[in-house]
Amino acid sequence: SQQGEEDPQALSIQGGENATMNCSYKTSINNLQWYRQNSGRGLVHLILIRSNEREKHSGRLRVTLDTSKKSSSLLITASRAADTASYFCATDGYGGSQGNLIFGKGTKLSVKP
Amino acid sequence: NAGVTQTPKFQVLKTGQSMTLQCAQDMNHNSMYWYRQDPGMGLRLIYYSASEGTTDKGEVPNGYNVSRLNKREFSLRLESAAPSQTSVYFCASSRTGGPGETQYFGPGTRLLVL
């Protein structure tokens, strides 16, 4: 069953604005990752945040993690049309399959030029 | 490096037909995965192979079989396709299958079962 739930399901913004997507999960985690999927393509890894980290940056991406609330957010600053894609959070699997990822349903981001 | 490749890109099957989806990676990764993605859903794990010679069921294995042919190749077989198996199938790989590792995805195979 799916672990993460992204919110909102869809987001439409103007280029230059910031985009914030949220992910909530159900069980304790060691790591949380964010992936991007362009239309008709496979997923591409964006960033990983570990359970002992609260915030992480990579270029225009900022990820936060609140383990007490079991939630994470992905912020894309100064968005561009090229950021149009679906964004998924993924958490580690359980027990002996901790290398497996459990994906949320994704947020579909549309950035208008 | 090509990364993860998948064949075919598109396939139309009739109910009851069989087919094999092929996946290969050239990154010398130990672990490989098969997912399916349905509209409005995230990816769901069908089968995975933690290392050459091993395979295990994921969340939705029914109706599928897999073969880890060698370290590079991991195939997914539908023995008797059903309309419920209409989906986009993604293969992925990771270096060792450990927690927190990046998974690298192929471009996907779009399958329509009539």
Side-chain angles (χ1 to χ4, degrees), chain B residues 18-37:
Chain B
S18 62
M19 78 163 295
T20 300
L21 283 66
Q22 306 286 355
C23 173
Q25 51 89 12
D26 63 1
M27 295 174 283
N28 201 35
H29 285 172
N30 285 315
S31 298
M32 297 184 74
Y33 312 82
W34 275 106
Y35 294 92
R36 61 178 287 172
Q37 184 177 34

Side-chain angles (χ1 to χ4, degrees), chain A residues 1-2 31 33 35 37 40-43 45 48 50 88 92 97-101 103-105, chain B residues 33 35 37 40-45 48 59 90 97-103 105-107 110:
Chain A
S1 60
Q2 253 126 358
N31 306 283
Q33 303 184 44
Y35 284 78
Q37 182 180 34
R41 302 290 188 93
L43 277 69
H45 177 260
L48 174 146
R50 302 191 189 281
F88 296 88
D92 290 345
S97 59
Q98 289 182 17
N100 295 345
L101 294 177
F103 287 87
K105 296 181 180 180
Chain B
Y33 312 82
Y35 294 92
Q37 184 177 34
M41 301 285 287
L43 276 68
R44 292 183 292 170
L45 183 64
Y48 66 100
E59 181 186 352
F90 289 98
E101 278 194 350
T102 296
Q103 290 191 11
F105 285 80
R110 294 180 180 274

Side-chain angles (χ1 to χ4, degrees), chain A residues 49-56 62-68:
Chain A
I49 188 164
R50 302 191 189 281
S51 60
N52 62 354
E53 298 175 311
R54 292 296 169 258
E55 187 171 311
K56 203 162 182 181
R62 173 182 165 234
V63 171
T64 61
L65 180 65
D66 186 336
T67 53
S68 66

Side-chain angles (χ1 to χ4, degrees), chain A residues 68-79:
Chain A
S68 66
K69 295 181 179 179
K70 292 187 171 58
S71 68
S72 174
S73 67
L74 172 67
L75 168 67
I76 304 174
T77 60
S79 63

Side-chain angles (χ1 to χ4, degrees), chain B residues 72-87:
Chain B
R72 288 187 64 247
E73 298 172 289
F74 188 37
S75 64
L76 178 72
R77 183 160 178 84
L78 287 70
E79 291 291 351
S80 179
S84 61
Q85 294 178 305
T86 292
S87 190

